Amino acid sequence: MQPTRRFFATALSLSLATAGLVGCGFQLRQSNDFAFKNLYANFSTTSPLGVELRRNLLGTGRLDLLTEPQQMSKADAILDILSEERQQVPVGVSATGQVRELQLRLRVRFRLRTPQGAELIEPVEIYQQRDLSFSESAALSKEIEQGILYRDMQTDIVQQIMRRLSSVKLRSSAPVAKP
């Protein structure tokens, strides 16, 4: 059986696509590198956000997560979750006054500091919002959808926190000697 023109065209297009991906610098996402090896988690490890953040921090395999208050002095950095606020705000109502659309909001404030008190990341707030249509006749399904939307926002916020933690550079306390 002789190779056809279509076979050659397919092979050529696949090899060009592969060469294009290699040439553009494409890489698979890699785990985060942190400037610290020990992190003290000063947040609730039982809240949904705390559980997901803890799982992501431990999942990197590149740092030890300390949770006991006695271990705080051994940590290279301390992550404080200052607040976590979930809100439901009605943004659309019908002519009879029934809620037709909700806006779900999730705000998380956090900071990163050293045990000595030097701030590596000053207090910052990350904010997410999602819109949710609402119907009294489908209240149960809308409640489930609301939980899914909050979980999606939470995952996005945890990923943003992880990226910010990986961008931190620890300052050296030793002065640099000049020749």
Side-chain angles (χ1 to χ4, degrees), residues 34 36-39 57-58 60-66 162 165:
F34 299 104
F36 39 86
K37 298 296 177 208
N38 299 317
L39 178 69
L57 289 168
L58 290 174
T60 64
R62 296 178 184 236
L63 62 97
D64 295 325
L65 191 63
L66 310 174
M162 294 293 290
L165 291 177

Coordinates of all heavy atoms in Angstrom, one line a residue, residues 34 36-39 57-58 60-66 162 165:
F34 N 9.4 28.2 46.9 CA 9.2 29.2 48.0 C 10.6 29.6 48.5 O 11.5 28.8 48.5 CB 8.3 28.6 49.1 CG 7.0 28.2 48.6 CD1 6.6 26.9 48.4 CD2 6.0 29.2 48.4 CE1 5.4 26.5 48.0 CE2 4.7 28.8 48.0 CZ 4.4 27.5 47.8
F36 N 11.1 30.1 51.5 CA 11.2 29.6 52.9 C 10.9 28.1 52.9 O 10.2 27.6 52.0 CB 10.1 30.4 53.8 CG 8.8 30.6 53.1 CD1 7.8 29.7 53.1 CD2 8.6 31.8 52.5 CE1 6.6 30.0 52.5 CE2 7.4 32.1 51.8 CZ 6.4 31.2 51.8
K37 N 11.4 27.5 53.9 CA 11.2 26.0 54.0 C 10.2 25.6 55.1 O 9.6 24.6 55.0 CB 12.6 25.3 54.4 CG 13.6 25.5 53.3 CD 13.2 24.9 52.0 CE 14.2 25.1 50.9 NZ 13.7 25.1 49.6
N38 N 10.0 26.5 56.1 CA 9.1 26.2 57.1 C 8.1 27.3 57.2 O 8.4 28.5 57.3 CB 9.7 26.1 58.5 CG 10.8 25.0 58.6 OD1 10.5 23.9 58.1 ND2 11.9 25.3 59.1
L39 N 6.8 27.0 57.1 CA 5.7 28.0 57.1 C 4.8 27.7 58.3 O 4.3 26.6 58.4 CB 5.0 28.0 55.8 CG 3.8 29.0 55.7 CD1 4.3 30.4 55.7 CD2 3.0 28.7 54.5
L57 N -0.6 23.8 50.1 CA 0.7 24.0 50.7 C 1.5 22.7 50.9 O 2.7 22.6 50.6 CB 0.7 24.8 52.0 CG 0.3 26.3 51.9 CD1 -0.1 26.9 53.2 CD2 1.3 27.1 51.2
L58 N 0.8 21.7 51.5 CA 1.4 20.4 51.7 C 1.7 19.7 50.4 O 2.6 18.9 50.2 CB 0.6 19.6 52.6 CG 0.6 20.0 54.1 CD1 -0.4 19.2 54.9 CD2 2.0 20.0 54.7
T60 N 2.8 20.8 47.6 CA 4.0 21.2 46.9 C 5.1 20.3 47.2 O 6.0 20.0 46.4 CB 4.4 22.6 47.2 OG1 4.7 22.7 48.6 CG2 3.3 23.6 46.8
G61 N 5.2 19.7 48.4 CA 6.3 18.9 48.8 C 7.5 19.6 49.1 O 8.6 19.0 49.3
R62 N 7.5 21.0 49.1 CA 8.7 21.8 49.2 C 8.8 22.5 50.5 O 9.7 23.3 50.7 CB 8.8 22.7 48.0 CG 8.9 22.0 46.7 CD 8.9 23.0 45.5 NE 8.9 22.2 44.3 CZ 9.8 22.3 43.4 NH1 10.8 23.2 43.5 NH2 9.8 21.6 42.3
L63 N 7.8 22.4 51.3 CA 7.9 23.1 52.6 C 7.2 22.3 53.7 O 6.3 21.5 53.4 CB 7.3 24.5 52.5 CG 5.9 24.8 52.1 CD1 5.1 25.0 53.4 CD2 5.8 26.0 51.3
D64 N 7.6 22.6 54.9 CA 7.0 22.0 56.1 C 5.9 23.0 56.6 O 6.3 24.1 56.9 CB 8.0 21.7 57.2 CG 9.0 20.6 56.7 OD1 8.6 19.7 56.0 OD2 10.2 20.7 57.1
L65 N 4.7 22.5 56.9 CA 3.7 23.4 57.4 C 3.6 23.1 58.9 O 3.3 22.0 59.3 CB 2.3 23.0 56.7 CG 1.2 24.0 56.9 CD1 1.6 25.4 56.4 CD2 -0.1 23.5 56.3
L66 N 3.8 24.1 59.7 CA 3.7 24.1 61.1 C 2.4 24.6 61.6 O 2.0 25.7 61.1 CB 4.9 24.8 61.7 CG 6.3 24.5 61.2 CD1 7.3 25.5 61.7 CD2 6.7 23.1 61.4
M162 N -1.2 31.2 46.7 CA 0.0 30.4 46.4 C 0.9 31.1 45.5 O 2.2 31.1 45.7 CB -0.5 29.0 45.8 CG -1.3 28.1 46.7 SD -0.3 27.5 48.1 CE 0.8 26.4 47.2
L165 N 2.7 33.8 47.5 CA 3.7 33.2 48.4 C 4.9 32.8 47.6 O 6.1 33.0 48.1 CB 3.1 32.0 49.1 CG 2.0 32.3 50.2 CD1 1.5 31.0 50.7 CD2 2.5 33.2 51.2

